[in-house]
């Protein structure tokens, strides 16, 4: 076995792994190998400590009190908003809406932006590689308005058919909603070029960035994205919080998504005067601790060199492809030229769920199933796949453990 070196001497994998206490444990008597970060990444100690400090010292409701704790909680909550703004290079904190995750962000746009503007004959364009959160909200709003959902095809390699997508844009298209990176097969879409082409037709673009935020820096102004949605828990922050970025002019023109406390300026029984951005879209007590933790995750990521991380993750991806292709009857699903560190595969003699169980007995955590992307499974004519997804805290030796576990499963079903 030849194990590739990490991408750079400056990348200290041991130091990185020491920040993630959950990785230092045994499962079923074996060292844990966590290869399911595309579903939910792990948290560094710095994020755990930030949440603990918040609950230990600062917790109170935000925007509502004049006492010290409420002011500290509000400062931490709004401080995290500024961290998000700076991290993705939004123009204003008014463009940063805290939500529960990518799914709620897309639903917000579907109901607040789409439902206001769509009618019979209008079209929403998505792609075949979307996960359910970027399909179902659009189906719902199409049913409510009489609009039509149009789907751009993918190729046998799992790449977006760009010519076909361009051909589907027309004067009836009201919005293009597209994933930056496929969660099921790892394809990285040329999102800037897609946005540029859509804008030639004056079509706004929503980018589902759930899978891209853990792997690199995103500049929403450089992309010229109209909406960009992502989740905290996939970028090493807490669960239950996410972000909708939107251009301020678009958000200003959209009605509130939900009604309740903090999104109002004045209420009587005849009418309500709504608050300004971003409060207009944040009804009720928010996930304050989650937002504080997201701020800590952004602090952690901001200190990393993503060029080095990208090299490390691509080295892991290449090594995983090499090792898994040596396993007889194993077929990799999704062979796009530009992929994130995700390997989806089937083993002919073993159902994916059985595979996941056997691999787990060796201490290896992978995802099995349809990955909330059933149309992708249908396209490749498989009911499910096994998926190994790597983060920057993974190492090449863990690929070897995975390959060994897969060979064991194959022997058991021979």
């Amino acid at each position: 076995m030849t194990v590739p070196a990490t991408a750079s001497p400056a990348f200290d994998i041991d130091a990185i792994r020491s920040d993630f206490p959950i990785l230092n444990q045994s499962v079923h008597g074996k060292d844990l190998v966590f290869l399911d970060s595309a579903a939910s990444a792990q948290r560094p100690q710095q994020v755990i400590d930030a949440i603990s400090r918040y609950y230990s010292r600062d917790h109170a409701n935000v925007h509502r009190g004049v006492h010290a704790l409420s002011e500290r909680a509000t400062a931490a909550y709004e401080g995290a908003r500024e961290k998000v703004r700076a991290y993705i290079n939004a123009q204003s904190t008014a463009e940063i809406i805290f939500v529960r995750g990518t799914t709620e962000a897309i639903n917000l746009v579907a109901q607040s932006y789409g439902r206001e503007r769509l009618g019979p004959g209008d079209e929403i364009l998505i792609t075949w590689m979307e996960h359910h959160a970027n399909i179902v909200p659009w189906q719902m709003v199409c049913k409510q308005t009489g609009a039509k959902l149009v789907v751009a095809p993918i190729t046998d390699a799992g790449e977006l058919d760009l010519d076909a997508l361009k051909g589907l844009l027309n004067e009836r298209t009201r919005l293009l909603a597209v994933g930056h990176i496929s969660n099921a097969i790892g394809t990285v879409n040329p999102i800037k070029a897609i946005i540029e082409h859509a804008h030639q037709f004056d079509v706004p673009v929503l980018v589902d960035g759930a899978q891209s935020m853990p792997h690199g820096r995103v500049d929403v102004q450089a992309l010229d994205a109209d909406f960009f949605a992502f989740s905290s828990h996939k970028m090493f922050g807490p669960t239950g919080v996410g972000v909708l970025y939107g251009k301020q002019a678009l958000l200003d023109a959209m009605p509130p998504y939900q009604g309740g406390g903090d999104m109002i300026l004045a209420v009587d029984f005849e009418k309500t005067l709504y608050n300004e951005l971003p409060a207009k879209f944040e009804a009720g007590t928010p996930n304050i601790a989650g937002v504080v933790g997201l701020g800590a995750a952004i602090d952690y990521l901001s200190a990393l060199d993503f060029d080095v991380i990208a090299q490390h993750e691509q080295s892991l991806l290449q090594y995983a492809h090499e090792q898994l292709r040596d396993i007889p009857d194993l077929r990799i699903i999704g062979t796009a030229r530009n992929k994130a560190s995700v390997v989806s595969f089937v083993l002919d003699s073993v159902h994916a769920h059985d595979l996941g169980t056997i691999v787990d007995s060796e201490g290896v955590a992978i995802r099995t199933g349809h990955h909330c992307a059933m149309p992708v499974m249908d396209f490749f004519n498989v009911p499910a796949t096994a998926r190994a997804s790597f983060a920057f805290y993974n190492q090449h030796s863990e690929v070897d453990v995975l390959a060994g576990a897969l060979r064991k499963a194959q022997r058991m079903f021979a």
Side-chain angles (χ1 to χ4, degrees), residues 231-244:
S231 297
S232 160
H233 72 103
K234 294 185 191 298
M235 53 184 295
F236 316 101
T239 57
V241 64
V243 173
L244 171 67

Side-chain angles (χ1 to χ4, degrees), residues 13 62 66 98 103 136 197 229 236 251 265 301 322 351 363 368 396:
I13 185 67
V62 294
V66 295
F98 288 127
T103 298
V136 180
H197 194 80
F236 316 101
L251 294 174
L265 290 176
L301 293 174
E322 292 170 357
H351 189 279
T368 58
H396 294 83

Side-chain angles (χ1 to χ4, degrees), residues 312-351:
H312 175 65
E313 291 185 352
Q314 284 300 305
S315 177
L316 286 168
L317 178 66
Q318 180 182 351
Y319 188 60
H321 273 235
E322 292 170 357
Q323 296 305 305
L324 268 55
R325 278 177 175 147
D326 281 344
I327 298 175
D329 300 325
L330 186 147
R331 179 163 58 106
I332 293 175
I333 305 296
T335 54
R337 288 162 291 184
N338 191 7
K339 284 185 64 173
S341 49
V342 173
V343 184
S344 211
F345 55 92
V346 294
L347 196 56
D348 283 350
S349 56
V350 190
H351 189 279

Side-chain angles (χ1 to χ4, degrees), residues 201-406:
F201 288 83
D202 293 325
V203 173
V205 180
L206 178 144
V207 180
D208 173 353
Q211 295 295 334
S212 58
M213 291 298 285
H215 300 292
R217 294 293 295 265
V218 168
D219 184 327
V220 293
Q221 291 193 70
L223 289 178
D224 199 21
D226 299 283
F227 299 102
F228 195 96
F230 58 95
S231 297
S232 160
H233 72 103
K234 294 185 191 298
M235 53 184 295
F236 316 101
T239 57
V241 64
V243 173
L244 171 67
Y245 158 81
K247 290 180 177 175
Q248 186 164 351
L250 293 171
L251 294 174
D252 274 332
M254 291 160 54
Y257 170 53
Q258 297 173 327
D262 218 28
M263 52 77 71
I264 57 87
L265 290 176
V267 177
D268 59 34
F269 287 116
E270 282 71 43
K271 63 183 181 304
T272 295
L273 181 61
Y274 300 127
N275 210 336
E276 301 293 325
L277 292 173
K280 182 173 74 172
F281 291 111
E282 295 181 7
T285 297
N287 183 354
I288 307 167
V291 169
V292 170
L294 172 59
I298 287 175
D299 288 340
Y300 185 84
L301 293 174
S302 297
L304 300 177
D305 185 335
F306 266 101
D307 289 337
V308 174
I309 284 173
Q311 292 177 49
H312 175 65
E313 291 185 352
Q314 284 300 305
S315 177
L316 286 168
L317 178 66
Q318 180 182 351
Y319 188 60
H321 273 235
E322 292 170 357
Q323 296 305 305
L324 268 55
R325 278 177 175 147
D326 281 344
I327 298 175
D329 300 325
L330 186 147
R331 179 163 58 106
I332 293 175
I333 305 296
T335 54
R337 288 162 291 184
N338 191 7
K339 284 185 64 173
S341 49
V342 173
V343 184
S344 211
F345 55 92
V346 294
L347 196 56
D348 283 350
S349 56
V350 190
H351 189 279
H353 289 167
D354 294 329
L355 199 57
T357 301
I358 296 168
V359 167
D360 175 62
S361 72
E362 296 297 304
V364 182
I366 60 172
R367 174 77 181 268
T368 58
H370 53 62
H371 315 297
C372 297
M374 295 178 77
V376 177
M377 300 297 111
D378 292 341
F379 178 84
F380 287 103
N381 197 29
V382 293
T385 73
R387 183 190 69 186
S389 53
F390 302 92
F392 53 74
Y393 45 60
N394 290 120
Q395 48 196 349
H396 294 83
S397 60
E398 293 178 310
V399 175
D400 297 324
V401 178
L402 170 64
L406 295 174

